[in-house]
Amino acid sequence: MPGIRTAAQAKAWLEHQGKSVQAFAREHGVDPATTYQVLSGRKKGRRGEAHKVAVLLGMKEGVIVDEPRAQSHDEQSTN
């Protein structure tokens, strides 16, 4: 699969942009700890936020779907 980055390539890509892992995570609204874990290989990026991070870093192909928000008690009582 052309275009898929390894963890080392993803780190180099961030460095090339002059962007820290923290800045990348803030920019994309993801957890910095999860981002570090994906880059280190501790999380494979199979589902959830790790999947989103892996796709954003170009480490895997995939679709990012916004998870439906659970309605709060206040929202339920006004519907």
Side-chain angles (χ1 to χ4, degrees):
M1 290 182 188
I4 299 298
R5 294 183 179 112
T6 64
Q9 290 170 330
K11 290 176 193 176
W13 175 71
L14 287 173
E15 187 175 318
H16 179 74
Q17 294 182 38
K19 201 175 285 187
S20 68
V21 173
Q22 293 279 336
F24 173 85
R26 274 192 307 273
E27 181 180 312
H28 294 284
V30 294
D31 180 45
T34 301
T35 306
Y36 281 112
Q37 291 168 346
V38 170
L39 285 168
S40 71
R42 284 192 301 270
K43 288 197 175 188
K44 303 295 182 200
R46 291 191 177 128
R47 62 188 67 82
E49 189 159 10
H51 167 81
K52 181 177 181 178
V53 168
V55 171
L56 289 169
L57 287 169
M59 294 175 65
K60 70 178 277 190
E61 289 184 0
V63 177
I64 299 172
V65 178
D66 287 333
E67 295 178 7
R69 223 173 34 107
Q71 283 188 329
S72 70
H73 180 69
D74 293 337
E75 290 174 339
Q76 290 176 354
S77 63
T78 60
N79 288 337

